[in-house]
Amino acid sequence: MRDHAAVLVAVAAVVGALIARGPSPWIGLGFVVLAVAVRRPTALAVGVLLLAGGLAARANAGLVAPDPGAFEGWATMLTDPESSGSGVRADVRLEDGRHLQAVTRSRAGLDALRVAQAGNRVLLVGRLERPPPGATWLAARHVVGVLAIDHVMKRSAGPPWMRAANGLRDLLARGADVLPDRQRALFLGFVLGDTRGQPADIADDFRGAGLSHLLAVSGQNVAFVLALAGPFVRRLGLWSRLPATLAVIGFFALVTRFEPSVLRASAMAALAVAASTLGREASSIRLLALAVTALVLVDPFLVRSVGFQLSAGACVGIVVLSPVIARFLPGPRSLAESLAVTLGAQAGVAPLLIAVFGGFPGAGVPANLLAAPAAGPVMVWGLAAGVVAGITGRPTAAFLHWPTSMMIGWIASVAHQAAALPLGEIHGRELLVLAGGSALVAAAHSVGFVGARRGGVVLIVSALVAPALGLRAQPPLHATLTPGAILWRADAAVLDLDGRVNAPRLLEALRREGVRDLDVVVARTSSASLNEVLDALRRRFSIGRLVTPTPGAHPATVAAGELRVDIRPVGGRLTVEITVLSSGNARGPPV
């Protein structure tokens, strides 16, 4: 199959899965078999379109919400538990095959579920509930309802392969205990793609610097694992290497929990190894197309996964755009190719980031150039030395992870500094200008028209500078950043918080507003979740004055620039009234 035919078939699979309508999958499969027999790529694409549509329609039909009621029975953990507000949640599969989101807030259930792992079997007592209205993200994971857990009665380790995978994860985590908590959380992200323990400010630093992809397992991780396994696999005979290599890929995917980006990378690696063993030609774009086709046919809901979309988009950018970009970049070839890979990946994911998240950071390119070279060694050394560190324990682990600590510290510093740069975010308008400027430069390069090339460069620079200039514009007097968070600015910044605020969303909103310092922060209530928000703010910003409810507090007035903040305690809460001194008008009524 030629490259263009493979791409056509992959597009057909994606379109069919998105449409989610079609005849019986058996009809589509018959069409595919017939098309393969007559060797007609167009007919094969039509067959795959019908097959993907039929499979997606059948998958949608299986999303039947459970009838509410009491539940007691065994379930298999599909994901590792993660904190959710004051409770814990995880996806589970019941013995009848239904996928549910298990949530618990009772102390007994919370403690028992928190220590469970993917692959464990648990005996649960609770109540079945329908999914929340509009929870389309649950459907993309085949989740049909919610299981509110009261008690976890029993827990078993699960099948041998899951025990082995969890054992390796525990070994790496135990070896990383010698690292500071914040570096340990990043280490688990780099090596295993496990981001559950990352503080909100670190996660936002990586998002603001365009480095979040380093914490998601990708093709680079798979390549490093194969490189580590290479000396052992090469000792085998030719036809033993293929199953052994596929076993390594499959086990690593199991350890990293079959995340969408892991599935894409593992499928491409498996196809590449198979093609090499069989002596078949396989370009990167063909491998990507075949991997996408196979995965979408196995699970049509993958097309709804943002992680899968971003992983595939970045791969397309690297494979298709990077070689073209490299030809136009001046300077040493090694530097030009490295920059081209970064630019290609950014271009591949830019439309998705804008459509889903509203924009992508202007600091992404320089941050990736500085951080990415250290990310690879962290993955290789962290995995190899991490196993030894987990076995030997202290003080050997501290010695082995000294390089790990240095490299992670560098990457975290790059992320923090890049996220703080006042470069703003690229949005749809700037992306169109960037695309137009790039096309003009490419066309001018082909015909040798210097004037057009300069015009293209001007467009590119204008698109990159515009977001930074937007941050310097006069901000609004007040803005609701997230539910429970209002920002006031008039020669000073005052942040008014209540119990509804969410730390990750708040940090992201403040970063997008270009806030560098906070003169006054008022927390109207006291709660564990709000304390976590305040801790994240302290780590991110210089806070002039923090006001929280305290026993025996008296009314207070705080001046900040042109803002006057009147604070009064009422029944364990604070009421806040903010007045703009230049106009004398109160703009913040007591709540």
Side-chain angles (χ1 to χ4, degrees):
M1 182 184 296
R2 297 183 182 274
D3 290 353
H4 69 273
V7 172
L8 178 63
V9 170
V11 171
V14 171
V15 171
L18 288 173
I19 294 174
R21 284 179 173 78
S24 166
W26 291 108
I27 295 176
L29 181 60
F31 210 107
V32 168
V33 172
L34 180 62
V36 171
V38 299
R39 296 188 176 184
R40 292 291 185 269
T42 304
L44 178 60
V46 173
V48 169
L49 176 70
L50 296 175
L51 178 58
L55 290 171
R58 188 172 67 177
N60 279 334
L63 295 176
V64 179
D67 294 327
F71 173 84
E72 180 176 353
W74 285 94
T76 300
M77 301 280 294
L78 297 176
T79 63
D80 295 307
E82 60 180 318
S83 298
S84 174
S86 59
V88 172
R89 66 184 179 190
D91 289 355
V92 301
R93 183 181 63 243
L94 304 186
E95 292 189 313
D96 61 8
R98 288 180 297 174
H99 292 196
L100 300 174
Q101 184 179 70
V103 297
T104 179
R105 291 181 177 85
S106 68
R107 174 53 57 185
L110 189 150
D111 292 340
L113 190 66
R114 194 188 300 276
V115 298
Q117 293 177 293
N120 289 177
R121 296 191 72 242
V122 285
L123 179 59
L124 304 175
V125 175
R127 179 176 176 81
L128 294 174
E129 299 174 358
R130 295 184 180 276
T136 54
W137 63 91
L138 293 179
R141 303 202 305 263
H142 300 268
V143 172
V144 299
V146 174
L147 174 57
I149 299 173
D150 295 322
H151 300 283
V152 180
M153 306 300 293
K154 294 181 181 179
R155 179 169 67 92
S156 66
W161 53 89
M162 286 306 305
R163 292 200 296 270
N166 289 335
L168 179 57
R169 290 175 66 94
D170 291 342
L171 193 66
L172 290 168
R174 188 164 60 249
D177 283 342
V178 296
L179 296 171
D181 290 343
R182 292 162 70 82
Q183 288 194 359
R184 183 179 184 274
L186 286 173
F187 170 81
L188 296 177
F190 283 120
V191 177
L192 299 174
D194 185 352
T195 60
R196 291 174 298 157
Q198 289 175 10
D201 59 305
I202 286 184
D204 189 68
D205 280 344
F206 275 74
R207 282 194 298 270
L211 297 176
S212 294
H213 64 94
L214 298 180
L215 303 174
V217 176
S218 64
Q220 190 179 32
N221 299 69
V222 177
F224 289 147
V225 168
L226 292 178
L228 291 174
F232 306 99
V233 173
R234 282 192 291 272
R235 295 177 179 272
L236 303 174
L238 178 62
W239 291 104
S240 299
R241 293 177 193 170
L242 178 59
T245 304
L246 294 179
V248 170
I249 295 171
F251 183 68
F252 182 68
L254 185 66
V255 169
T256 51
R257 305 310 196 211
F258 291 109
E259 291 294 329
S261 60
V262 177
L263 290 175
R264 194 276 308 162
S266 300
M268 286 188 67
L271 288 170
V273 171
S276 176
T277 303
L278 298 173
R280 302 292 296 272
E281 179 187 359
S283 66
S284 297
I285 191 64
R286 189 183 311 175
L287 291 174
L288 174 60
L290 293 176
V292 168
T293 301
L295 291 172
V296 169
L297 291 179
V298 171
D299 182 5
F301 285 170
L302 274 176
V303 297
R304 306 184 188 181
S305 166
V306 176
F308 183 75
Q309 295 168 6
L310 291 173
S311 179
C315 195
V316 168
I318 292 172
V319 170
V320 177
L321 299 179
S322 293
V324 178
I325 295 172
R327 291 202 297 268
F328 295 100
L329 294 177
R333 283 298 84 195
S334 58
L335 180 60
E337 290 172 359
S338 177
L339 179 58
V341 168
T342 299
L343 291 173
Q346 294 283 325
V349 300
L352 287 168
L353 290 175
I354 291 174
V356 177
F357 301 107
F360 68 95
V365 171
N368 275 275
L369 286 174
L370 292 171
V378 168
M379 297 170 193
V380 176
W381 182 256
L383 187 60
V387 171
V388 180
I391 295 173
T392 58
R394 301 173 183 264
T396 305
F399 173 76
L400 289 172
H401 272 312
W402 178 80
T404 310
S405 178
M406 295 298 101
M407 292 183 287
I408 290 178
W410 166 255
I411 298 171
S413 176
V414 170
H416 182 71
Q417 298 299 328
L421 291 175
L423 298 180
E425 290 189 334
I426 307 295
H427 298 96
R429 181 172 50 194
E430 291 86 10
L431 183 62
L432 290 175
V433 175
L434 275 173
S438 301
L440 194 58
V441 169
H445 182 83
S446 300
V447 299
F449 187 18
V450 178
R453 185 185 307 170
R454 291 174 178 170
V457 171
V458 169
L459 288 177
I460 292 173
V461 172
S462 299
L464 295 175
V465 170
L469 295 177
L471 290 178
R472 287 164 172 76
Q474 180 67 30
L477 177 61
H478 61 89
T480 300
L481 302 179
T482 68
I486 302 176
L487 176 67
W488 292 76
R489 283 190 285 184
D491 290 338
V494 176
L495 184 61
D496 181 9
L497 305 174
D498 67 25
R500 298 171 296 164
V501 70
N502 172 277
R505 292 180 181 176
L506 176 60
L507 292 177
E508 180 181 34
L510 289 168
R511 170 171 49 80
R512 287 181 162 177
E513 289 288 331
V515 176
R516 304 268 75 87
D517 299 298
L518 293 169
D519 296 277
V520 180
V521 175
V522 181
R524 293 175 179 257
T525 63
S526 295
S527 67
S529 60
L530 193 54
N531 288 337
E532 292 178 3
V533 172
L534 296 178
D535 288 341
L537 290 175
R538 290 188 190 98
R539 289 192 294 265
R540 169 62 63 82
F541 301 102
S542 171
I543 300 177
R545 180 165 179 179
L546 174 63
V547 183
T548 59
T550 56
H554 299 285
T557 298
V558 179
E562 296 183 3
L563 300 174
R564 188 183 71 205
V565 185
D566 294 309
I567 305 164
R568 293 178 176 83
V570 178
R573 292 174 53 92
L574 298 179
T575 63
V576 180
E577 184 174 298
I578 298 178
T579 303
V580 183
L581 298 178
S582 58
S583 65
N585 295 323
R587 301 296 184 89
V591 176

